Amino acid sequence: MIVTAFADALDDLFADPNMAVTVSYQDRPVRALVRRPDRDIEFSDITVQTSTALFEILRREIPAPQAGDIIVHDGDSFVIQGEPRLDAERLVWTITVRPA
């Protein structure tokens, strides 16, 4: 089954210490892929570049993340903002955060 093969590949990805890290989600350790891309925000005719943080976490690790929940990574606390999104296979959450 394709979904099972894909889920197995995700397990390998999240277990790889070169790709994923352990973060604390609501005081519980979970594995996550962390991205910190810069984002351009436009106000009228001014563009401001700001850093953001995104966490990708397996759905089975956290079945229902909520806005306001806390994720701690490398000693920095982040608050989930907005609605977490599931990927097309509904296996991985993409979570946007802001500093706590």
Side-chain angles (χ1 to χ4, degrees):
M1 178 181 248
I2 293 174
V3 173
T4 302
F6 188 68
D8 290 344
L10 283 173
D11 287 342
D12 291 343
L13 179 68
F14 279 84
D16 185 332
N18 297 305
M19 299 297 294
V21 297
T22 300
V23 300
S24 174
Y25 172 80
Q26 296 293 95
D27 296 322
R28 187 169 61 89
V30 297
R31 297 290 289 170
L33 302 176
V34 181
R35 293 185 287 144
R36 291 195 166 186
D38 288 338
R39 181 172 62 179
D40 292 335
I41 299 174
E42 295 184 16
F43 297 100
S44 188
D45 59 347
I46 299 172
T47 300
V48 177
Q49 189 176 60
T50 183
S51 61
T52 61
L54 299 171
F55 291 88
E56 293 179 314
I57 299 174
L58 292 171
R59 182 180 186 187
R60 72 166 181 268
E61 295 254 20
I62 49 171
Q66 302 290 316
D69 288 353
I70 303 292
I71 296 174
V72 179
H73 173 250
D74 272 351
D76 295 325
S77 295
F78 299 92
V79 177
I80 295 176
Q81 64 180 17
E83 194 68 31
R85 296 180 320 264
L86 281 170
D87 67 333
E89 289 78 21
R90 307 193 61 73
L91 298 172
V92 178
W93 290 108
T94 298
I95 301 170
T96 303
V97 298
R98 63 174 171 74

